[in-house]
Amino acid sequence: MMSCITLKTVIFLGSARDISPPWGGDKRLGDRVLNHVKTFINAREGTLGDDTVKHSITVLDPLELFGAGGALAESGGELRTPSFFYKAGSQPEGMAAVQQTIKDADCYIIISPEYNHSVPPALAGLMGTFGGSNYAYKPSATITYSPGPWGGMRAAVALRPFLSELGCLPVSKLTGYPNASEMFNEDGTAKDPANRMLKQLAPMIGELEWMAMAMKAQREKTGPPSA
C-alpha cells in the first residue's frame, strides 16, 4: 500500500550580505535561488518504491538569525557563545529553538555562494554554532551560485569535508547555477525554462530523498551506532 512520507528539510542560506555592489545588482543574489528551490521542492512529489516523498521546509537565514534581535545575535557569526558551551537546558530560548529544528530535521540543503573561493563565513558560523550530534546520520545536498561563470563550485567542493565533519554526509550530486541573475527572476522563476542548468536539481533532490529515507529508517530502527 502506498504511503506518503514528509521529510523535515532544513535549508541553510550561505550569505548574510545586505548591500548592493557598486556595479549594481541584488543585495543578495541567493534570494532568487532560494525562491526557485522552495518552489521546486514544495511542488515535488518524489517516489521511492511504494512511498511518496514530500518535504516540510524550514529556512535558516544568517542575515535574520545573526541580525539585531535574531535568535543567534548574542553569539554572532564569530561564535562568541556556541550552543555546545552551555550547560544542558541553559541556552537562550531562541538558540535552543534553532538547535531543536536542526536536530529534528531529516535532511539539509545548503544554498551558498563562494567567498574567497571557499565557504562563506556566515554559513560556517551558522552551522558551526551547533554541535555535530545535531546533524549526525542525516544527508545533505549542496546548491551553489554565482553572478559569474563558475556557479560557486569552489565553495561546493570546500563544503564537502565541512558537512562530512558535522555528520550530515553530502550526497554525490551537486547543483551549481552560474550567472544566476540571468537565470532567475527575483521570484525564482526561470527566465528560460529550457536552460539545461535547471536539470541538475531534480536528480540531486532525488538522491537526497533516497539517502534521507534510508537514514531515517535506520535511526528509527536502531538509533545511532553504540560503538
Side-chain angles (χ1 to χ4, degrees):
M1 185 173 62
M2 201 165 200
S3 60
C4 182
I5 297 174
T6 300
L7 296 173
K8 296 177 182 177
T9 303
V10 168
I11 297 178
F12 288 95
L13 284 181
S15 172
R17 199 178 76 188
D18 195 27
I19 185 172
S20 297
W23 53 86
D26 300 355
K27 283 187 174 181
R28 186 168 62 173
L29 183 55
D31 289 336
R32 299 188 187 218
V33 180
L34 172 64
N35 288 335
H36 175 75
V37 172
K38 286 170 57 180
T39 298
F40 175 86
I41 291 178
N42 284 329
R44 178 179 172 83
E45 288 190 7
T47 302
L48 289 172
D50 292 333
D51 296 322
T52 298
V53 183
K54 296 184 177 181
H55 297 259
S56 175
I57 295 172
T58 301
V59 177
L60 296 181
D61 181 348
L63 182 59
E64 173 188 331
L65 293 171
F66 290 133
L72 304 180
E74 182 179 336
S75 179
E78 65 275 31
L79 306 188
R80 291 190 297 269
T81 57
S83 69
F84 45 87
F85 272 64
Y86 286 92
K87 291 181 180 179
S90 67
Q91 297 166 323
E93 183 178 351
M95 176 181 282
V98 175
Q99 177 171 303
Q100 194 63 52
T101 295
I102 294 170
K103 192 175 185 67
D104 289 344
D106 296 306
C107 58
Y108 309 97
I109 297 172
I110 289 79
I111 299 177
S112 181
E114 62 181 35
Y115 276 40
N116 298 317
H117 300 174
S118 191
V119 179
L123 178 60
L126 173 53
M127 297 190 75
T129 295
F130 305 97
S133 61
N134 298 285
Y135 302 95
Y137 311 109
K138 303 166 194 175
S140 61
T142 301
I143 300 166
T144 56
Y145 61 89
S146 72
W150 308 117
M153 276 292 109
R154 288 167 290 201
V157 172
L159 277 166
R160 297 184 74 82
F162 174 78
L163 296 170
S164 296
E165 185 61 28
L166 283 176
C168 49
L169 303 180
V171 299
S172 176
K173 293 184 183 299
L174 296 169
T175 295
Y177 294 128
N179 306 305
S181 61
E182 299 175 17
M183 289 185 65
F184 302 112
N185 296 303
E186 289 186 3
D187 65 358
T189 55
K191 294 185 177 181
D192 176 10
N195 189 320
R196 66 185 181 87
M197 301 303 287
L198 298 173
K199 297 178 181 179
Q200 304 172 83
L201 187 56
M204 186 191 72
I205 296 300
E207 202 170 84
L208 180 70
E209 290 167 348
W210 194 99
M211 292 288 287
M213 291 283 285
M215 290 180 166
K216 177 179 172 67
Q218 196 63 28
R219 288 196 313 275
E220 292 174 351
K221 181 179 179 181
T222 67
S226 57

